């Protein structure tokens, strides 16, 4: 990390020497390219190696960069020796005082991977979030932007179970605005965009201790690793402004419906306990619950 900041300071200083002093913007980079050949990459900024061996599913903190001038960002294999080894190059112009998040996703050779179900190009690219947040806009809440970064996944919804649909009809590469939610513990269900009753995967989002924070949730990996060079399986991850990336644990839950059909008058109403906790209070004869987790 020390090398990262030293290099970026050198790049910034050299640009100021050539073109004068510039106001600054801030940029965070998240590596979410699931191509096994891009498990580590080198990032070049205006020809200088700014991130060496930048690993998959990691992120930088927010880094100050010059604003108002073109910045050349090059991505090279992890064993690169110079900017001449870059395989993808991007030009960005940042606005003074604005925070940005750049998410690198996609694969180097789409023909070697499963196609996207919605026909969207899966070629390696950057998705940019402007006006990124480093803290929640509402004290006590958690603010999260969500990026669909799984190349072989269709349009999806993300549902906070028994609460609300948080993300509606997100296709690959889509990025939401920041969603502000109370700091609490949630189960997030990923479902097809047109069918919230079919759960593709569920994840534990324990946010109760994160009030006041902000971050970027990104879908990562492949629904079918075997069709994608045995790359990493699908998962949800959160990148925080500090550069820390946390995986949301995948959870597996069964669903149960209970029907009260004991005709004994003494059991006309019963209480049902689950692992010592009262779960069904005054459960009546010839009634039923919905499906519960």
């Amino acid at each position: 990390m020390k090398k990262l900041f030293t290099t970026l300071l050198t790049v910034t200083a050299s640009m100021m020497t050539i073109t004068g002093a510039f106001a600054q913007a801030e940029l965070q980079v998240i590596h979410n390219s699931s191509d096994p050949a891009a498990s580590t990459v080198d990032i070049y900024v205006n020809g200088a190696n700014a991130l060496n061996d930048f690993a998959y599913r990691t992120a930088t903190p927010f880094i100050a960069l010059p604003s108002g001038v073109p910045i050349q960002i090059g991505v090279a294999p992890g064993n690169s020796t110079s900017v001449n080894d870059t395989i993808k190059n991007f030009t960005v112009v940042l606005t003074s005082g604005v925070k940005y998040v750049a998410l690198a996703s996609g694969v180097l050779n789409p023909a070697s991977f499963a196609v996207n179900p919605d026909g969207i190009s899966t070629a390696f690219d950057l998705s940019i979030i402007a006006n990124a947040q480093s803290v929640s806009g509402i004290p006590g809440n958690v603010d999260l932007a969500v990026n669909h970064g799984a190349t072989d996944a269709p349009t999806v919804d993300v549902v906070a179970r028994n609460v609300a649909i948080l993300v509606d009809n997100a296709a690959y590469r889509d990025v939401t605005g920041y969603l502000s939610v109370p700091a609490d513990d949630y189960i997030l269900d990923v479902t097809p965009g047109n069918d919230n009753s079919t759960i593709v995967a569920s994840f534990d989002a324990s946010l109760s201790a994160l009030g006041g924070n902000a971050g970027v949730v990104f879908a990562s990996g492949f629904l079918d690793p075997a069709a994608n060079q045995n790359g990493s399986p699908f998962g949800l991850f959160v990148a925080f402004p500090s550069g820390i990336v946390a995986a949301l644990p995948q959870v597996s839950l069964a669903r149960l419906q209970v029907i009260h059909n004991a005709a004994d008058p003494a059991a006309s109403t019963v209480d049902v306990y689950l692992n010592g906790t009262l779960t069904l209070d005054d459960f009546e004869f010839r009634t039923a619950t919905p499906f519960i987790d």
Side-chain angles (χ1 to χ4, degrees):
M1 189 60 68
K2 181 178 180 181
K3 178 180 178 181
L4 163 64
F5 285 111
T6 301
T7 304
L8 285 170
L9 288 172
T10 301
V11 171
T12 303
S14 65
M15 290 186 64
M16 292 173 66
T17 300
I18 296 171
T19 55
F22 296 99
Q24 292 183 326
E26 292 183 77
L27 175 70
Q28 179 182 46
V29 183
I30 300 171
H31 180 348
N32 189 34
S33 170
S34 299
D35 188 332
S39 59
T40 61
V41 296
D42 295 340
I43 305 293
Y44 289 82
V45 177
N46 291 338
N49 189 338
L51 289 171
N52 191 54
D53 291 339
F54 186 33
Y56 174 50
R57 289 175 175 170
T58 65
T60 69
F62 280 99
I63 301 163
L65 290 174
S67 63
V69 294
I71 297 174
Q72 304 294 328
I73 299 176
V75 181
N79 60 355
S80 72
T81 58
S82 76
V83 69
N84 294 326
D85 296 324
T86 56
I87 51 180
K88 288 286 184 177
N89 292 278
F90 307 90
T91 301
V92 298
V93 178
L94 307 179
T95 299
S96 175
V98 176
K99 286 182 167 64
Y100 297 84
V101 175
L103 296 114
S105 61
V107 295
L108 302 179
N109 182 7
S112 299
F113 292 84
V115 299
N116 177 264
D118 297 317
I120 299 169
S121 171
T122 60
F124 186 92
D125 204 351
L126 292 181
S127 298
I128 304 295
I129 301 174
N131 299 309
Q133 296 180 202
S134 54
V135 296
S136 171
I138 301 177
N141 274 19
V142 182
D143 288 5
L144 299 169
V146 182
N147 168 240
H148 182 337
T151 58
D152 69 336
T155 296
V156 298
D157 290 351
V158 179
V159 181
R161 188 174 295 182
N162 300 323
V163 179
I165 296 175
L166 299 182
V167 178
D168 189 27
N169 290 332
Y172 173 59
R173 291 200 192 285
D174 281 353
V175 183
T176 71
Y178 279 83
L179 313 168
S180 190
V181 299
D184 205 341
D185 295 335
Y186 302 92
I187 293 175
L188 301 182
D189 293 322
V190 179
T191 76
N194 59 357
D195 180 10
N196 292 147
S197 65
T198 299
I199 297 174
V200 176
S202 300
F203 299 88
D204 178 12
S206 297
L207 307 180
S208 56
L210 296 177
N213 284 276
V216 177
V217 177
F218 57 98
S220 180
F222 301 107
L223 287 180
D224 185 0
N228 291 279
Q229 299 189 21
N230 294 315
S232 297
F234 183 86
L236 293 184
F237 296 78
V238 185
F240 293 99
S242 63
I244 292 174
V245 174
L248 298 185
Q250 189 165 354
V251 296
S252 179
L253 296 176
R255 310 199 80 194
L256 174 70
Q257 180 182 48
V258 183
I259 301 171
H260 182 348
N261 192 37
D264 187 333
S268 59
T269 61
V270 297
D271 293 341
V272 178
Y273 288 79
L274 179 64
N275 290 334
T277 300
L278 179 61
T279 304
L280 299 174
D281 187 28
D282 291 337
F283 187 34
E284 295 183 356
F285 176 50
R286 290 178 176 166
T287 64
T289 69
F291 280 95
I292 56 177
D293 297 321

